[in-house]
Amino acid sequence: IFRQYGVRDEITLIASGQIAKGSDVAIAMGLGADLVNIGRGNMIAEGCIMAKKCHTNTCPVGIATQDPRFRRGLDPMDKYVRVANYNRVLQRELLAILKSIGVSNPWMLTRHHMSVVMDPMVEKNMAEVHPYPDGDDGTRNPILGEVPTNDREIYDRFGPKLTKMAKTP
């Protein structure tokens, strides 16, 4: 609908909800999202056990609470490494998908890169199932910053390097 009214490049679409893997990010971006919000995956990487007590201020692992008794269970020096590595692995997985498709960034993904299974042993290109209303090819024109240099201290051939966990005494 945004393309029909000519405002697609003037808005930012943020996808959210059960996005936890690089393939989920690729699908959301291919369907037209400009950004993704990953909440649950980061919470689990931080140590969330999904006790469903976030709203009670009694989170048993100390993540979703301000109560000092429960916050003792949260070790930020351990958790930041886990969260950082989760996000880096997610980015590496997305980069592997992009390389296998042959695009250089996630904003180049469109419906043309995806297929949907219609019946057993029958799949169709997503652009055929849901064509763009104005006959467009689905490309977006994001305003991107400078491309970071390929620093060997930060990146390896798979993407950002993982953070090593420090041993606790």
Side-chain angles (χ1 to χ4, degrees), residues 59-165:
C59 173
V61 292
I63 296 172
T65 183
Q66 295 299 315
D67 190 328
R69 295 174 297 161
F70 294 107
R71 298 267 326 250
R72 288 184 301 199
L74 182 65
D75 179 12
M77 295 310 292
D78 175 44
K79 303 303 181 183
Y80 91 90
V81 174
R82 294 172 188 259
V83 172
N85 282 338
Y86 165 73
N87 285 290
R88 288 181 178 140
V89 166
L90 189 136
Q91 186 178 6
R92 290 165 78 119
E93 182 183 359
L94 178 61
L95 288 171
I97 292 168
L98 295 178
K99 287 179 183 179
S100 68
I101 293 172
V103 297
S104 60
N105 65 60
W107 295 277
M108 293 176 71
L109 291 173
T110 65
R111 294 179 202 169
H112 298 285
H113 296 106
M114 300 189 306
S115 296
V116 61
V117 176
M118 302 297 288
D119 289 313
M121 305 297 287
V122 177
E123 72 177 55
K124 282 190 174 180
N125 187 286
M126 185 65 110
E128 293 174 25
V129 177
H130 297 290
Y132 290 100
D134 55 359
D136 194 15
D137 63 356
T139 56
R140 298 184 288 285
N141 302 311
I143 299 171
L144 301 174
E146 293 294 319
V147 176
T149 59
N150 198 2
D151 187 354
R152 297 242 182 248
E153 293 291 319
I154 301 170
Y155 300 102
D156 59 20
R157 65 188 181 103
F158 300 110
K161 289 184 179 179
L162 302 181
T163 302
K164 290 188 169 80
M165 295 185 73

